Amino acid sequence: MDQETILKLKDVDKFFNDFVAVDRINLDVKDGEFFTIVGPSGSGKTTMIRMLVGMDKPTNGEISLRGKVINDVPANKRPTCMVFQSLALFPHKTVGENIEFPMKIKGELKNYRKARAIELLEQLHLSESYYDKMITECSGGERQRVALARALAFDPEILFFDEPLSALDYRLRKTLEKELKDIQRKTGKTFIYITHSLEEAMVMSDRIGIMRRGRLIQVGTPEEIYNSPVNGFVAQFMGEVNQFEVDVRGDELADSKMLATYRSPNPAYDNSSGILIVRPEDMRLLSPEDTAENELEGTLVNQYSLGSRTQYQVMVNGKTLLVEMLGAGVDVSEGDEVKVGWSTDSAILLKE
Ligand code: ATP
């Protein structure tokens, strides 16, 4: 059965004078979904989330929650809650007081509030002993968990997150990404998250919406976005990729700059020009007796260890290709003539 739509955007725009910060967004977010909006700086993510939480009104269009238009409902009258980058906790209060705050507003009794606060602490991997600690005694990661516990204490229908992990160090961020996904699954709440990191979005999200210059240019599961990016912008946003400008003829692609012909994974754009994308991890260095569906010859200019993988830079007709292989890779030295190969299945053909 299809999940119910909890939040719907219909032709939503936001103008600042005549500048279009958010441009005709149409989107359905499903109940219980972890949905992430990803985009580079200035793409309109914050403007979008401000409208979704009720801090701003759209210039045009409709935002509905469970079928009811909420454009004019202020933030404090919406059954939703925002977890900010700057955590907005009360620093002079204890962890327990912070978490209990939303329940206090609702008039819940002290015994219930305390039991629920401790339950939330445990859900967030903080022991009961944190209950009486001051916020100032908590580390960045602990504060992040307390902020999430407080947001959950509101029992909102949707939790919004504005880059909550961006100030934390890499390891802590990785841990909290997984924990956040776990909490979302356990609570069954709808999470709407914004970030400029597609890598972060890939780990946590059921679906991702990619924004560029105020527009939502692609919406899909992490797999759909990884395997079928709509254009070179999305493909590159995901990390380093090899791009070839090609002319499409039948199922063959001719690259006039590389003087090469490749097999096409998708001949649908016959007689047009396009971009062929091959990820570094889908390319390999071939030994002399080895062959692949697509091959190019070049010179190895650099090789780096990336821990679990080795990356090679290969110069082919004046263009640097990136090749990544698992482990220590193959035995080659800088300056060697090498053959790069990839399978046609791993190449993605895009129109722009
Ligand atoms: P970042 O990742 O840097 O926070 P963002 O994707 O969240 O960026 P927004 O903050 O939504 O982007 O801004 C989108 C565009 O709208 C930017 O060009 C910004 O300058 C502009 N903008 C945002 N708020 C206003 C405002 N109040 N008045 C005028 N222009 C604004």
Side-chain angles (χ1 to χ4, degrees), residues 18-294:
D18 53 2
F19 177 77
V20 187
V22 166
D23 194 359
R24 281 251 164 150
I25 304 279
N26 285 287
L27 176 69
D28 279 14
V29 177
K30 306 287 175 203
D31 201 359
E33 187 170 43
F34 198 130
F35 191 91
T36 304
I37 299 167
V38 193
S41 187
S43 56
K45 307 181 294 294
T46 305
T47 309
M48 174 107 139
I49 209 155
R50 285 177 61 85
M51 293 190 284
L52 299 184
V53 293
M55 291 159 77
D56 255 333
K57 284 186 196 175
T59 311
N60 297 302
E62 276 178 8
I63 301 174
S64 345
L65 183 76
R66 295 201 191 279
K68 269 201 192 135
V69 177
I70 53 165
N71 288 27
D72 296 324
V73 179
N76 61 359
K77 294 274 177 349
R78 293 187 185 190
T80 59
C81 182
M82 175 96 157
V83 183
F84 288 95
Q85 187 176 12
S86 53
L87 297 168
L89 292 168
F90 304 117
H92 52 282
K93 294 201 164 161
T94 64
V95 166
E97 284 166 333
N98 267 279
I99 300 176
E100 287 180 29
F101 173 71
M103 297 183 268
K104 208 167 169 181
I105 298 178
K106 280 191 193 160
E108 307 282 10
L109 295 174
K110 176 71 191 164
N111 281 350
Y112 171 82
R113 292 196 318 249
K114 182 167 183 183
R116 177 78 181 126
I118 289 168
E119 191 178 277
L120 285 165
L121 280 173
E122 278 166 3
Q123 252 186 27
L124 290 154
H125 307 289
L126 292 173
S127 65
E128 195 175 333
S129 64
Y130 278 85
Y131 183 84
D132 289 317
K133 274 198 184 181
M134 299 300 290
I135 291 298
T136 45
E137 293 175 279
C138 295
S139 71
E142 288 160 357
R143 287 179 202 203
Q144 199 60 61
R145 292 188 173 104
V146 175
L148 182 54
R150 192 178 67 175
L152 286 165
F154 276 98
D155 197 24
E157 292 215 39
I158 304 179
L159 270 92
F160 291 98
F161 297 85
D162 181 0
E163 305 236 16
L165 308 182
S166 61
L168 304 174
D169 72 54
Y170 182 81
R171 270 188 59 189
L172 184 56
R173 212 164 64 224
K174 291 282 140 203
T175 309
L176 288 176
E177 280 170 9
K178 296 202 183 85
E179 282 184 16
L180 214 51
K181 175 72 209 158
D182 201 39
I183 300 282
Q184 188 268 336
R185 229 179 257 149
K186 279 190 191 140
T187 57
K189 298 271 180 210
T190 307
F191 279 23
I192 299 183
Y193 193 99
I194 66 171
T195 175
H196 62 273
S197 163
L198 190 51
E199 193 194 336
E200 184 168 293
M202 296 290 247
V203 176
M204 299 186 291
S205 319
D206 295 314
R207 283 191 310 150
I208 296 170
I210 299 199
M211 285 193 81
R212 184 189 195 191
R213 299 193 193 122
R215 293 190 157 219
L216 203 51
I217 58 171
Q218 184 167 13
V219 176
T221 63
E223 292 73 26
E224 282 162 356
I225 290 191
Y226 185 82
N227 294 322
S228 318
V230 287
N231 57 27
F233 171 82
V234 177
Q236 271 191 322
F237 197 46
M238 234 169 309
E240 297 172 308
V241 289
N242 296 297
Q243 291 203 19
F244 304 93
E245 285 169 30
V246 291
D247 288 321
V248 187
R249 288 186 219 118
D251 64 352
E252 290 218 323
L253 306 174
D255 180 344
S256 56
K257 291 197 178 133
M258 300 283 280
L259 302 170
T261 304
Y262 318 117
R263 298 279 299 155
S264 167
N266 176 0
Y269 312 142
D270 204 4
N271 286 322
S272 62
S273 57
I275 296 174
L276 187 75
I277 284 177
V278 187
R279 297 182 197 286
E281 60 269 31
D282 291 327
M283 284 192 165
R284 59 203 167 94
L285 294 186
L286 302 172
S287 56
E289 63 279 5
D290 210 358
T291 58
E293 285 176 289
N294 301 277

